[in-house]
């Protein structure tokens, strides 16, 4: 079992990493979404106490549990979503990031009440069928369909960089798609993760999703 002094050191290092990254992103007017899906509750609480509000989960039940436990924070759903888990997102998510299927969107909307749930369309900018997201060629049509679903609000676009290839060009493509779709109106552009977020910021990202960069690769409490 770790010594109390080691636990305190881990906590201080976590806070220092978060402060450095948060400050860097704030200077660029970019929102930090902390990916907490693998982090223990103690580490999440440490960041909450430091001032972090926005967290991301990829398992609907975990999002429900943490949103219920810490309703003062905003819990974002990332990752693929099965329709039988739609109720957790409709009821508890602050934002849904991975919308790429209209039937699933309608299933989520059926569980949204007394509010409007912001939604990001996930676009496949990697030209890789193994990665999720809609084809950019059908983005306009998909966005029009999504905009007709009561209870959901199209808030912007999200994408993951290609595993191989030109990351900067892919991010630039998504930014252009956002600009064309929203015709100059503000919309969220969520792109950039731990290994490429600085490139994403340079290419116009308004929100990045960071996990290991914040929590570290070792123990975090």
């Amino acid at each position: 079992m770790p010594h109390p002094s080691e636990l305190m050191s881990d906590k201080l290092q976590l806070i220092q990493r978060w402060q450095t990254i948060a400050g860097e992103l704030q200077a660029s007017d970019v929102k930090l979404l902390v990916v907490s899906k693998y982090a223990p509750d103690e580490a999440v609480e440490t960041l909450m106490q430091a001032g972090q509000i926005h967290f991301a989960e990829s398992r609907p039940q975990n999002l429900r549990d943490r949103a219920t436990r810490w309703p003062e924070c905003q819990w974002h759903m990332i990752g693929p979503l099965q329709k039988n888990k739609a109720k957790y997102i409709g009821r508890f998510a602050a934002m849904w990031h991975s919308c790429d299927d209209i039937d699933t969107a309608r299933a989520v909307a059926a569980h949204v009440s007394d509010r409007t749930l912001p939604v990001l369309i996930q676009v496949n900018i990697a030209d890789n069928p193994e990665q999720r997201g809609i084809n950019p060629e059908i983005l306009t049509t998909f966005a029009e369909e999504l905009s007709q679903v009561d209870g959901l609000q199209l808030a912007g676009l999200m994408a993951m960089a290609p595993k191989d290839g030109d990351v900067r060009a892919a991010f630039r493509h998504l930014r252009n798609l956002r600009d064309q779709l929203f015709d100059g109106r503000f919309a969220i552009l969520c792109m950039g993760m731990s290994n490429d977020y600085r490139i994403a910021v340079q290419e116009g990202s308004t929100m990045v999703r960071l996990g290991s960069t914040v929590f570290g690769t070792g123990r975090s409490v």
Side-chain angles (χ1 to χ4, degrees):
M1 189 171 184
H3 190 276
S5 63
E6 293 179 343
L7 296 177
M8 181 58 68
S9 176
D10 286 347
K11 181 178 292 189
L12 290 174
Q13 290 177 24
L14 172 58
I15 293 173
Q16 288 171 353
R17 283 193 300 271
W18 173 80
Q19 288 176 331
T20 298
I21 295 167
E24 174 188 348
L25 294 173
Q26 186 176 17
S28 299
D29 198 24
V30 176
K31 181 174 291 184
L32 170 59
L33 180 60
V34 171
V35 179
S36 52
K37 60 182 182 179
Y38 298 124
D41 287 349
E42 294 83 357
V44 174
E45 284 187 313
T46 295
L47 292 184
M48 288 179 188
Q49 293 166 4
Q52 178 65 28
I53 296 174
H54 295 273
F55 294 90
E57 295 287 328
S58 63
R59 295 181 177 85
Q61 293 96 324
N62 288 359
L63 184 145
R64 172 203 60 193
D65 294 345
R66 285 182 161 174
T68 302
R69 179 173 179 180
W70 295 300
E72 66 273 22
C73 292
Q74 302 288 303
W75 297 93
H76 298 234
M77 176 62 190
I78 61 175
L81 176 66
Q82 297 176 341
K83 282 189 285 187
N84 63 349
K85 302 293 194 305
K87 60 184 177 181
Y88 302 123
I89 306 313
R91 295 172 185 171
F92 298 102
M95 183 178 290
W96 175 26
H97 284 239
S98 51
C99 181
D100 63 359
D101 179 79
I102 200 66
D103 290 335
T104 304
R106 294 188 179 112
V108 170
H111 297 281
V112 176
S113 61
D114 301 323
R115 68 178 184 130
T116 301
L117 175 64
V119 174
L120 304 183
I121 297 175
Q122 182 168 357
V123 185
N124 188 334
I125 56 173
D127 195 26
N128 181 352
E130 294 184 359
Q131 289 188 230
R132 294 187 63 90
I134 67 166
N135 189 310
E137 294 181 359
I138 65 168
L139 175 59
T140 300
T141 301
F142 186 85
E144 290 173 351
E145 286 188 85
L146 183 63
S147 297
Q148 300 303 312
V149 180
D150 291 337
L152 304 183
Q153 175 196 2
L154 175 55
L157 304 181
M158 184 277 280
M160 298 178 66
K163 296 177 181 177
D164 298 302
D166 192 333
V167 171
R168 187 178 296 277
F171 286 154
R172 192 169 296 169
H173 184 200
L174 186 68
R175 184 191 66 204
N176 290 336
L177 290 171
R178 189 275 311 267
D179 293 346
Q180 293 167 12
L181 182 64
F182 290 90
D183 194 23
R185 292 175 288 122
F186 174 79
I188 294 170
L189 187 61
C190 183
M191 58 187 191
M193 299 173 66
S194 289
N195 61 336
D196 55 30
Y197 76 92
R198 289 190 174 94
I199 297 174
V201 170
Q202 291 169 0
E203 295 302 328
S205 178
T206 66
M207 180 186 295
V208 298
R209 309 180 304 278
L210 304 182
S212 60
T213 301
V214 175
F215 290 108
T217 56
R219 182 180 68 245
S220 293
V221 296

